[in-house]
Amino acid sequence: MYQGTVYLVGAGPGDPELLTVKAARVLETADVVLHDALVGDDVVDRYADATEHIDVGKDPNGERTTQEEINRLMVRKAREGNDVVRLKGGDPTVFGRGGEEVEHLAREGIPFEVVPGVTSAIAAPEVAGIPVTHREHASSLTVVTGHEDPTKDESAIDWSALADCVVAGGTLVVLMGVGRMADNARALREHGVPAETPAAVVEQATCDEEFTVTGTVGTIAERSGEVGVEPPAATVFGDVVGVRDQVVDCLEGATAARAGPWNATASDKGSE
């Protein structure tokens, strides 16, 4: 019996035009698509009529499909002879558990292929006018998850090392960190990052709801709270954030219309 292949595909940050050509081709020919909640509706809807689609993100009650359930579903569907797309927001292996899934598929003898996607760690800042590297401002880029608690004893994130990178002129991007933004900013300050260091938050990057709030390490959490920033959002720390202030008036098209001003307020966000 034919055994299907599982394709771990990155859907990008939300805009369906940022799908790679290969990702679009694989989606067009797949028998089954298992997609996360962060995959944009426009991406899912584009292929919904041609394949079996299964939402393995959060259900309406807020319950998340477990990783074990997703693993079993990928294997079962492939062994039934289906080519399966495991569709993830951004890139499959940038905090997307793609590494765990390919290990499981390999243990089960299921052929797989990874199709890289545009990660929001880079896309979110740059569509808001913030290049993550810049010869005059930033020669390094560090990406971390914001789900970790910087105060817990066994954190896998070394906030002292991250602070050193920012002080040295590097760019720090925190993904999935809206709920702990204040803690993360405080951890950076406690480890030597000046409070006046530029910072920004980009919500719903590349989507119609895209919105940017800028400030400093000392103010970004408060400003984000004032405008009601919600996930998904990427937080950027570092001198390179200041580039946005120089270019924002010339950002073209819908991105410029959605971009929030330096001193954004809740009313600004609601009117975008």
Side-chain angles (χ1 to χ4, degrees):
M1 180 179 176
Y2 172 76
Q3 180 167 262
T5 298
V6 176
Y7 298 88
L8 277 74
V9 177
D15 184 347
E17 291 187 342
L18 291 178
L19 278 173
T20 66
V21 173
K22 185 167 188 176
R25 176 176 61 79
V26 170
L27 280 164
E28 288 172 353
T29 59
D31 301 302
V32 179
V33 176
L34 312 178
H35 64 87
D36 285 339
L38 288 180
V39 175
D41 291 340
D42 290 342
V43 175
V44 175
D45 292 345
R46 179 171 295 194
Y47 303 96
D49 294 337
T51 59
E52 177 186 1
H53 276 67
I54 303 174
D55 187 345
V56 294
K58 287 184 178 179
D59 65 23
N61 296 319
E63 296 295 327
R64 183 179 295 278
T65 308
T66 67
Q67 189 61 51
E68 291 74 16
E69 291 173 315
I70 294 172
N71 290 345
R72 288 195 294 268
L73 194 55
M74 287 191 298
V75 171
R76 177 166 62 83
K77 290 294 185 179
R79 285 179 175 163
E80 290 173 353
N82 300 295
D83 286 332
V84 179
V85 166
R86 175 71 176 98
L87 189 61
K88 300 168 177 287
D91 180 90
T93 64
V94 180
F95 302 118
R97 306 190 76 165
E100 299 170 44
E101 293 180 355
V102 298
E103 287 180 316
H104 181 79
L105 293 169
R107 285 194 297 269
E108 295 293 328
I110 303 296
F112 69 86
E113 183 176 350
V114 178
V115 181
V118 177
T119 173
S120 61
I122 296 173
E126 65 187 4
V127 298
I130 303 169
V132 291
T133 64
H134 190 295
R135 285 200 304 171
E136 297 179 5
H137 301 284
S139 297
S140 67
L141 168 65
T142 305
V143 182
V144 300
T145 175
H147 277 314
E148 285 249 348
D149 182 350
T151 64
K152 72 180 185 181
D153 294 337
E154 298 181 359
S155 174
I157 297 177
D158 187 340
W159 287 94
S160 176
L162 295 178
D164 289 345
C165 289
V166 175
V167 170
T171 303
L172 172 64
V173 177
V174 182
L175 298 180
M176 305 173 290
V178 172
R180 290 178 174 157
M181 192 184 306
D183 291 333
N184 295 340
R186 185 182 307 110
L188 291 173
R189 295 199 309 273
E190 289 175 351
H191 287 93
V193 176
E196 63 270 19
T197 301
V201 180
V202 186
E203 177 187 327
Q204 296 280 0
T206 78
C207 299
D208 290 339
E209 301 81 9
E210 179 187 309
F211 188 79
T212 301
V213 179
T214 53
T216 67
V217 172
T219 65
I220 193 63
E222 181 179 357
R223 287 188 171 185
S224 297
E226 288 175 352
V227 301
V229 168
E230 299 176 352
T235 308
V236 192
F237 298 101
D239 289 340
V240 77
V241 173
V243 173
R244 180 179 186 276
D245 200 31
Q246 306 302 315
V247 305
V248 65
D249 291 340
C250 293
L251 278 174
E252 292 188 359
T255 299
R258 293 193 299 266
W262 183 268
N263 59 344
T265 65
S267 59
D268 292 324
K269 181 179 178 182
S271 64
E272 297 273 316

